[in-house]
Amino acid sequence: MSKEKANIAVFISGRGTNLRALILRSRKKNCNYKIAHVISNKKNAAGLKFAKKNKITTKIISQSFLKIEQKNLAKILINKNIKFICLAGFMKILSPYFLNFFKNKIINIHPSLLPKYKGLNTHQRALKAKEKFSGCTIHFVSKELDSGKIIVKKKVRIFKNDTLRKLEKRVLKEENKLYPLVLEKLVSS
Ligand code: GRF
């Protein structure tokens, strides 16, 4: 008998290419996880469409995401037996209150080689600093922004004639490959 797949929740705010990559991988027969819930703080986030198409339950949270709402969401996710929460372009900071419910169970993907370039506009800053490499990092989420324990980093070369668009595209391609692989490893560890 095949082993039951681990339930995963993904938090998004927009485009959702990483969500899509996670879902596509989850549909493979030998994949050890399934995306059980997608949470967004934006009701028009493009990523929601793909989730709905794949019949995944979605939920919109409010911009304020106050304590009572956090508690209710945590309850829902605990009841769904969520093994990991993946942040994928989620533009809100989770409060320590929420993080406490899921210690070492929330991971994030960030478009830089952390600890360099925490926060926004990472590619722009890497280009301006004339870095030779950029890339992406998957890390556990802690109270401080983009600062939790690093799980893995993937380097991406920056070329002399690079533009913001080109670099972003190249890094995003690696992100989309890396996130499902890392999640599968975490689930099986
Ligand atoms: C990605 O670059 C991710 O690293 C960052 O936000 C972006 C989200 O892209 N945290 P997408 O919505 O997954 O396409």
Side-chain angles (χ1 to χ4, degrees):
M1 215 174 72
S2 63
K3 246 183 115 187
E4 214 182 305
K5 296 186 177 217
N7 288 329
I8 306 297
V10 185
F11 285 40
I12 61 166
S13 297
R15 189 175 54 184
T17 64
N18 282 297
L19 169 67
R20 190 188 181 96
L22 289 167
I23 293 174
L24 287 176
R25 176 70 202 145
S26 75
R27 290 193 335 209
K28 303 271 183 230
K29 211 174 155 192
N30 61 349
C31 182
N32 60 10
Y33 71 81
K34 68 167 181 280
I35 307 299
H37 213 123
V38 174
I39 317 291
S40 173
N41 64 318
K42 299 267 184 213
K43 67 174 192 306
N44 296 325
L48 286 171
K49 279 194 194 137
F50 194 72
K52 285 179 186 155
K53 239 189 202 170
N54 282 272
K55 303 195 172 28
I56 297 167
T57 313
T58 59
K59 184 175 175 55
I60 311 296
I61 55 168
S62 73
Q63 286 307 324
S64 45
F65 197 39
L66 296 175
K67 218 166 176 180
I68 181 71
E69 196 182 354
Q70 293 177 35
K71 192 172 177 182
N72 289 336
L73 180 61
K75 263 194 209 160
I76 293 174
L77 299 179
I78 291 165
N79 283 338
K80 279 203 157 195
N81 196 18
I82 293 294
K83 183 144 187 196
F84 286 100
I85 294 175
C86 296
L87 308 187
F90 183 60
M91 300 302 281
K92 275 193 83 66
I93 293 176
L94 293 169
S95 70
Y97 179 77
F98 186 84
L99 295 180
N100 240 332
F101 286 101
F102 302 97
K103 282 201 183 113
N104 296 321
K105 288 192 166 13
I106 310 183
I107 61 174
N108 180 43
I109 188 155
H110 182 75
S112 79
L113 297 171
L114 288 173
K116 277 192 168 178
Y117 309 118
K118 295 174 182 177
L120 297 174
N121 305 320
T122 55
H123 301 307
Q124 215 168 322
R125 285 150 65 204
L127 283 171
K128 198 170 170 206
K130 301 205 181 320
E131 297 280 1
K132 288 203 165 62
F133 291 95
S134 183
C136 54
T137 305
I138 296 178
H139 63 94
F140 287 105
V141 174
S142 65
K143 292 201 295 274
E144 296 79 26
L145 182 73
D146 302 326
S147 299
K149 188 172 172 239
I150 290 173
I151 302 167
V152 71
K153 295 193 229 191
K154 172 77 188 174
K155 268 186 178 182
V156 173
R157 188 92 171 87
I158 297 182
F159 299 111
K160 274 212 177 101
N161 62 345
D162 254 343
T163 60
L164 189 55
R165 245 182 91 83
K166 278 188 193 165
L167 178 61
E168 198 212 346
K169 202 172 159 197
R170 203 173 324 116
V171 174
L172 193 62
K173 200 171 162 194
E174 295 304 325
E175 290 186 36
N176 295 166
K177 277 197 254 172
L178 193 64
Y179 217 177
L181 294 179
V182 169
L183 179 59
E184 275 204 283
K185 270 201 183 153
L186 271 181
V187 166
S188 66
S189 65

